[in-house]
Amino acid sequence: MTQPVLDIRNLCVDYHTPKGTVQALRHIHLQVPPAKVVGLVGESGCGKSTLISAVIRLMAENAHVAAGKIRFMGLDLQGFSASELRGIRGRDISMVFQDPMTALNPVLTIGRQMVDIQYRDGLSRKKKRERAARMLERVGISDAMSRLDNYPHQFSGGMRQRITIAMALLVQPKLLIADEPTTALDATLEVQIIRLLKDLQTDFQCAILFISHHLNVIAELCDYVGVMYAGELVEKGTVRDIFHRPGHPYTRSLLECDPSVIEAPTRFLPTIPGDIPSLIDLPSGCIFQDRCAKVMPVCRKTPPPAVHLGEHHTAACHFLEE
Amino acid sequence: MLFYLLKRIGLAVVIVVVAVVLLYSMIHVVPGDPASVILGPRATPEMKQELHKLMGLDRPFVVQVVSFLGKVARGDLGMDYFSQRPVAEIVFKQLDETLVLVLASITWAMLLGIPLGCYSAVFRNTFSDKLVGVFSIGVIAVPSFVVALYSLLFFAVTLKWLPAIGAGESGQFLDQARHLILPAFAIGLGWVGYIARLVRASMLEVLNENHIRRARAFGLPETTIVFHYALKLAILPTVTLLGTGIGRLISSAVFAEIVFARPGIGKLIFDSVVSRNYPLVMGAVVVSTVLFVLSTTISDSINAMLDPRVRERL
Ligand SMILES: Nc1ncnc2c1ncn2[C@@H]1O[C@H](COP(=O)(O)OP(=O)(O)OP(=O)(O)O)[C@@H](O)[C@H]1O
Ligand SMILES: [Mg+2]
């Protein structure tokens, strides 16, 4: 197998709070192969944003990587100094965030912002502006050269997200990380943005780590999927594995809420009865025990092993066989 | 931007007119007849009537206000009957001194306060941030006349480094500058604290915003992020504060002007209130009101220059 662009092993992240230590991520293993799209799904609060902020190490002040390794193109990011990390951000890894309304600096023109992120390239300002305009045109903003002199509030939400995508691709990253880039947009815009991303990915051939609440978006865009629950990656596999042969009871109940998920994919992550356990006092045994229909005494005692169900397919449950 | 400026200046004119009308009515409502103050206790009713006529006080109130407004617009603030000189001449002579003092105070306070605030925000919760915090609150708490008195005693009387009183020989720049240092220090010190606290607070807020996180995710250098991306937003509340603050400064300048025996508009208002010299009070207050409105207009325009969203609001 070729070397993955991103290789996360046994990652554990804690938040220190006055109430105790929130174990937001526990023993995460995840690989992003070159030029592939990996999707992450999971309910709100399951740790998706924590995972990506650990990857680019732009974490909250009270966050702490308790264990694990993150390798990017074979390099151990944990050993990187702050300035070495800065060298990777915005050159090899770039990001698209959730809320396009607040993602751009309101008092600087988008031209200025797009020129600034090219600060490493020894091009003239004029060349940089031309590159920026070409990229804006590529994401579907017409009259790009003159719109460079506009401020963010002069664009609609959908256009702003196109701009942030253009910016993320302008630096020609090896890995693009998108944290729910369409959640703040309405349904038609969402479809447009996803199509655009898919197009651009085929053109630029970068790897994408894509986070979404929406199963249909994942099914449409991704090659591989990881399903997260309360800080753990409970199942991962190819899109076919997850949507046709789900192993983990959590994945199944996500899909069962809509049996025709592939033909008419659900727009939103369906809700499953019960609450996510507190991440401060974790139960012993399986993390999903309180909401699992098939819970058995063993689930309350021992954490489930990771069971290999296929070449890329693993799930953490006591009742699965290789 | 031009459109914004025109609208903003129009608004300023309206504010000045309303303020002048209010001021004029206020002075005429307070008890005490200006004529009897000027003429003293032994004035006869005939003398008073004569002076009333001369000052235009016998006409209906509305006519008085309108004619006063008209004169103000032409730069005529009336006569000072004590010294028999035009009020405008007296006021504008003092105004230069006050403006120089206020601008010097604000400039050094900004030059020190803004970097201190940025530093505190970037190194938040460190020992040096706390040190800056204690310093800021300390200098805000000390009244400027106390700073004025102690700095006068220490630097001028004990150390004899700087002149104690007056504004210096006119025309001699170095001498005037030396006379400016202590008063400007006394007035500006508290503002250093204000500005540092305000910049720190708004900087912290801005540094937490999404677009800053995103700028970091693009690996932009920290100096670019702090001084170009964050400061341009974080400075907006400070610009607004300074706009209104200049007005307050003119009145707080009175302490420094008295302590250092400097001529100035603060001292002029103080003296003319004490001697109940109404035309002079009126003229000085009108001029400082205009200055106040002018400084808020300028600060709003700077805000509009920095923030494109403001430009389109008004
Ligand atoms: N700074 C913090 N301090 C303490 N706890 C935090 C902090 N940030 C996040 N958490 C907690 O960590 C868990 C994971 O949060 P995270 O933001 O990663 O979730 P998410 O999957 O991205 O959710 P969403 O879909 O709503 O964005 C949550 O339980 C959250 O309450
Ligand atoms: Mg999130």
Side-chain angles (χ1 to χ4, degrees), chain A residues 55-57 77 80-90 120, chain B residues 219:
Chain A
V55 170
I56 55 167
R57 256 218 261 151
L77 289 190
F80 270 42
S81 70
S83 70
E84 285 171 319
L85 274 169
R86 207 162 58 72
I88 283 191
R89 287 183 208 135
R120 298 176 175 108

Side-chain angles (χ1 to χ4, degrees), chain A residues 8 16 18 27 95 131 134 141 181 193 196 231 278 288 309 312:
Chain A
I8 299 172
H16 298 292
H27 311 292
M95 298 262 323
R131 275 185 66 191
R134 269 203 302 281
I141 288 174
I193 296 281
L196 175 69
S278 154
F288 191 56
L309 301 169
H312 300 289

Side-chain angles (χ1 to χ4, degrees), chain A residues 14-17 20 22-25 42-53 60-63 98 179-180 211-213 228 231 276-277 279:
Chain A
D14 296 340
Y15 287 108
H16 298 292
T17 68
V22 176
Q23 299 183 23
L25 290 179
E43 285 163 292
S44 187
C46 69
K48 304 180 296 290
S49 299
T50 306
L51 179 66
I52 59 167
S53 58
E61 272 169 16
N62 59 342
Q98 173 168 350
D179 188 359
E180 305 190 36
I211 292 172
S212 183
H213 275 124
M228 289 187 67
I276 302 182
L279 298 180

Side-chain angles (χ1 to χ4, degrees), chain A residues 7-243:
Chain A
D7 187 358
I8 299 172
R9 297 206 180 235
N10 194 36
L11 181 69
C12 301
V13 174
D14 296 340
Y15 287 108
H16 298 292
T17 68
K19 283 192 205 136
T21 304
V22 176
Q23 299 183 23
L25 290 179
R26 298 176 310 281
H27 311 292
I28 304 283
H29 293 269
L30 183 72
Q31 283 77 41
V32 180
K36 295 284 185 212
V37 185
V38 175
L40 271 182
V41 266
E43 285 163 292
S44 187
C46 69
K48 304 180 296 290
S49 299
T50 306
L51 179 66
I52 59 167
S53 58
V55 170
I56 55 167
R57 256 218 261 151
L58 279 178
M59 296 190 288
E61 272 169 16
N62 59 342
H64 170 69
V65 175
K69 272 220 165 358
I70 301 173
R71 286 176 176 279
F72 176 74
M73 311 285 298
L75 304 167
D76 180 7
L77 289 190
Q78 240 62 31
F80 270 42
S81 70
S83 70
E84 285 171 319
L85 274 169
R86 207 162 58 72
I88 283 191
R89 287 183 208 135
R91 173 156 49 188
D92 299 316
I93 304 179
S94 63
M95 298 262 323
V96 176
F97 290 101
Q98 173 168 350
D99 185 4
M101 301 317 267
T102 59
L104 293 161
N105 191 307
V107 296
L108 301 174
T109 62
I110 61 153
R112 162 86 196 268
Q113 298 183 52
M114 291 183 84
V115 167
D116 279 355
I117 59 168
Q118 304 174 60
Y119 73 99
R120 298 176 175 108
D121 306 333
L123 294 171
S124 69
R125 215 181 87 87
K126 192 160 166 281
K127 283 258 152 50
K128 288 179 185 171
R129 276 176 69 89
E130 280 165 8
R131 275 185 66 191
R134 269 203 302 281
M135 192 54 86
L136 283 185
E137 247 148 41
R138 181 68 191 77
V139 299
I141 288 174
S142 51
D143 198 16
M145 205 62 201
S146 67
R147 300 227 66 181
L148 283 178
D149 296 319
N150 285 162
Y151 290 92
H153 71 275
Q154 292 164 315
F155 294 90
S156 69
M159 279 168 113
R160 284 192 219 183
Q161 199 59 302
R162 284 167 193 269
I163 293 168
T164 62
I165 290 171
M167 288 176 79
L169 290 172
L170 191 58
V171 297
Q172 300 178 331
K174 300 193 177 66
L175 174 67
L176 175 76
I177 300 177
D179 188 359
E180 305 190 36
T182 57
T183 310
L185 305 174
D186 67 45
T188 26
L189 278 177
E190 170 166 43
V191 173
Q192 286 175 15
I193 296 281
I194 295 301
R195 296 242 163 89
L196 175 69
L197 267 177
K198 209 171 171 171
D199 254 27
L200 293 168
Q201 200 266 337
T202 339
D203 275 15
F204 290 87
Q205 286 293 309
C206 60
I208 299 183
L209 178 57
F210 189 90
I211 292 172
S212 183
H213 275 124
H214 302 177
L215 288 175
N216 65 329
V217 170
I218 297 284
E220 168 136 6
L221 190 66
C222 300
D223 303 300
Y224 300 93
V225 185
V227 180
M228 289 187 67
Y229 180 76
E232 287 177 18
L233 196 65
V234 293
E235 181 162 9
K236 62 182 176 181
T238 62
V239 168
R240 291 187 70 78
D241 292 334
I242 300 298
F243 283 86

Side-chain angles (χ1 to χ4, degrees), chain B residues 65-175:
Chain B
V65 173
V66 171
S67 93
F68 183 71
L69 270 176
K71 281 187 188 164
V72 168
R74 275 178 274 122
D76 176 6
L77 295 174
M79 282 296 278
D80 171 18
Y81 293 93
F82 280 103
S83 63
Q84 294 295 325
R85 281 161 55 214
V87 170
E89 189 191 306
I90 303 175
V91 171
F92 280 106
K93 215 176 131 227
Q94 311 289 329
L95 190 63
D96 291 353
E97 304 286 353
T98 305
L99 280 187
V100 166
L101 178 59
V102 164
L103 285 183
S105 314
I106 276 294
T107 306
W108 88 265
M110 261 167 50
L111 287 180
L112 188 59
I114 292 174
L116 272 183
C118 291
Y119 178 88
S120 277
V122 172
F123 298 98
R124 61 189 158 282
N125 302 332
T126 60
F127 178 72
S128 41
D129 168 33
K130 286 181 183 140
L131 211 65
V132 172
V134 169
F135 164 80
S136 306
I137 292 170
V139 296
I140 294 170
V142 181
S144 51
F145 72 89
V146 174
V147 179
L149 274 176
Y150 276 92
S151 59
L152 176 85
L153 286 177
F154 190 65
F155 291 105
V157 179
T158 312
L159 294 176
K160 297 199 169 47
W161 284 354
L162 292 164
I165 55 168
E169 285 295 318
S170 61
Q172 288 199 290
F173 179 75
L174 214 69
D175 188 45

